[in-house]
Amino acid sequence: MNLPFPARQSKRSFLYLAFLFLFGFLAGCSKQPDAQIYEFTGGIMGTSYSVKIVADNPSPDYLENIKVEAIAAMTTVDSLMSTYKNDSELSKLNRWPIQTPFKVDPLTFDVLSMAQDISQRSTGSFDVTVGPVVNLWGFGPEGRPEKVPSRQEIELAEARVGYQYFKLERETRNVVKEKNVYIDLSAIAKGYAVDKVAESLEKTGVRNYLVEIGGELRASGVKPGGSPWVLAVEKPVLDRDAFKKLSINGQGLATSGDYRNYFEENGVRYSHTIDPKTGQPVQHRLASVTVIAATCAEADALATTLLVMGEITGYEFAAAEGIAAYFIYRDREKFSEKMTGNFSRYILQ
């Protein structure tokens, strides 16, 4: 991997929903005249990442140190929480006998604690033990099955689902499984990795940055010239000009949608988003949810939670919880949108 280099103007899209990193012209700025955006990219956690920082004539050693620390932060999260790596801590926990304490790393315990909190708040719409059903439908490490699962197969997998079936012991950092649950942190781990990268940047003195892993991101500070980081969320339509421009500073942003990962069989569309309460892919009009939160991990998990809930229950939950959320849903032959009041304050006019 090469050393970081000044980032050129770019536009990154993820099918119908995109986060557009809109960079102003760097020449002729009255503020931070020598500052530039430096970027390094790569692959992690089965997806891509991008780290952009603003720096004023940095040395190669300084850039290399930032890069090494950021990659180390991502790699640590991946090595602990991957379900695709047999030697990850999470994979070992999933193989561990029930009723037997398993001590986990502080980072893993932190993520499991956040997950349990959101599960309780959402009465199970977010559930990291939904893995057996996700795998059954072919959206996990084992790949897609040859046919849609039977009702009996779903019921057998659902018998292993329930966030209440594993306990967290804070004093010892032990996890105790009371059933043979399979924990899958894919709906929160990428956001958490973004937060860990942001922490690594701040420890090295970086205050102006934009971190993105697989579409989940966090921004802080400003671009060269003092202008804010500007992001945009596109509607799932062909008209690419139909989007909301946003500005965040110090927050995390994540989106969940049903259009990125799905399959169709006999004319029926099956989304990768599984409702833990039914064991079925979600079947409602909601196409995507974007959430802004204090951390990217929280935004990541809440976006999944609201997508599972749907456009009505999800909106009501977000409004009651004070969550900054933006909903895009199918409305007959078009797409409509709505947002909570907390989200509207991040929109640029």
Side-chain angles (χ1 to χ4, degrees):
M1 190 177 296
N2 296 326
L3 280 171
F5 53 90
R8 293 170 292 184
Q9 283 186 286
S10 63
K11 178 177 178 179
R12 180 184 291 247
S13 76
F14 296 88
L15 298 179
Y16 291 126
L17 187 74
F19 300 109
L20 310 179
F21 307 143
L22 307 178
F23 301 108
F25 292 104
L26 303 183
C29 295
S30 59
K31 299 177 182 178
Q32 299 175 279
D34 298 320
Q36 294 187 69
I37 295 174
Y38 294 83
E39 176 185 19
F40 56 92
T41 62
I44 196 75
M45 305 175 81
T47 187
S48 62
Y49 71 80
S50 168
V51 179
K52 299 177 175 70
I53 68 166
V54 178
D56 184 355
N57 295 323
S59 69
D61 288 344
Y62 175 75
L63 292 177
E64 179 65 14
N65 180 59
I66 288 173
K67 175 183 172 182
V68 167
E69 292 297 323
I71 292 175
M74 288 183 269
T75 302
T76 296
V77 174
D78 190 33
S79 66
L80 289 171
M81 304 176 203
S82 173
T83 56
Y84 289 80
K85 299 179 186 297
N86 288 329
D87 60 347
S88 73
E89 184 174 67
L90 186 62
S91 293
K92 294 175 183 176
L93 172 60
N94 283 331
R95 294 192 298 266
W96 202 250
I98 64 173
Q99 304 296 349
T100 306
F102 183 92
K103 188 169 184 175
V104 297
D105 186 272
L107 299 186
T108 306
F109 195 89
D110 190 25
V111 172
L112 288 171
S113 297
M114 285 191 286
Q116 287 284 52
D117 175 65
I118 294 174
S119 293
Q120 291 165 3
R121 288 162 55 192
S122 67
T123 62
S125 290
F126 183 80
D127 193 330
V128 295
T129 69
V130 76
V133 184
V134 173
N135 293 338
L136 180 65
W137 281 95
F139 296 111
E142 298 173 5
R144 195 195 152 190
E146 295 182 358
K147 62 180 181 179
V148 172
S150 68
R151 183 66 251 176
Q152 183 179 14
E153 290 173 320
I154 293 172
E155 289 174 354
L156 287 173
E158 273 281 282
R160 297 176 57 194
V161 175
Y163 66 91
Q164 68 272 24
Y165 295 133
F166 72 90
K167 306 298 181 185
L168 304 178
E169 299 175 349
R170 295 195 174 278
E171 297 78 10
T172 59
R173 292 203 317 274
N174 282 331
V175 181
V176 181
K177 299 186 297 182
E178 297 181 348
K179 272 191 176 183
N180 187 27
V181 295
Y182 177 92
I183 299 172
D184 184 344
L185 299 175
S186 59
I188 190 172
K190 287 199 301 294
Y192 189 74
V194 169
D195 292 329
K196 291 291 113 179
V197 172
E199 286 182 16
S200 77
L201 296 177
E202 291 172 2
K203 285 179 181 178
T204 56
V206 178
R207 295 293 176 265
N208 305 303
Y209 59 81
L210 179 64
V211 179
E212 177 261 332
I213 301 178
E216 326 299 8
L217 61 89
R218 182 163 166 168
S220 178
V222 295
K223 298 184 298 183
S227 59
W229 298 104
V230 178
L231 318 171
V233 183
E234 282 187 343
K235 296 180 184 178
V237 292
L238 294 177
D239 180 4
R240 292 297 182 177
D241 291 329
F243 57 75
K244 298 289 186 188
K245 289 184 180 179
L246 313 171
S247 178
I248 61 175
N249 184 355
Q251 295 86 21
L253 183 150
T255 294
S256 279
D258 72 351
Y259 48 83
R260 295 187 194 175
N261 191 4
Y262 65 92
F263 70 88
E264 293 185 2
E265 187 170 300
N266 297 324
V268 180
R269 177 189 178 102
Y270 297 98
S271 166
H272 78 289
T273 302
I274 305 296
D275 187 338
K277 298 176 182 179
T278 66
Q280 300 274 356
V282 294
Q283 295 289 333
H284 50 56
R285 300 188 303 163
L286 194 53
S288 72
V289 184
T290 298
V291 172
I292 297 173
T295 66
C296 195
E298 185 179 13
D300 196 1
L302 287 174
T304 297
T305 304
L306 299 178
L307 185 65
V308 168
M309 288 180 166
E311 76 274 13
I312 298 174
T313 303
Y315 180 84
E316 291 173 350
F317 177 80
E321 290 274 318
I323 298 168
Y326 175 60
F327 301 78
I328 299 177
Y329 59 96
R330 298 174 184 85
D331 187 4
R332 296 183 180 180
E333 299 301 319
K334 62 185 179 65
F335 286 91
S336 296
E337 63 185 59
K338 59 183 176 181
M339 69 188 75
T340 61
N342 284 353
F343 191 90
S344 60
R345 61 194 178 98
Y346 295 102
I347 295 177
L348 296 175
Q349 302 301 325

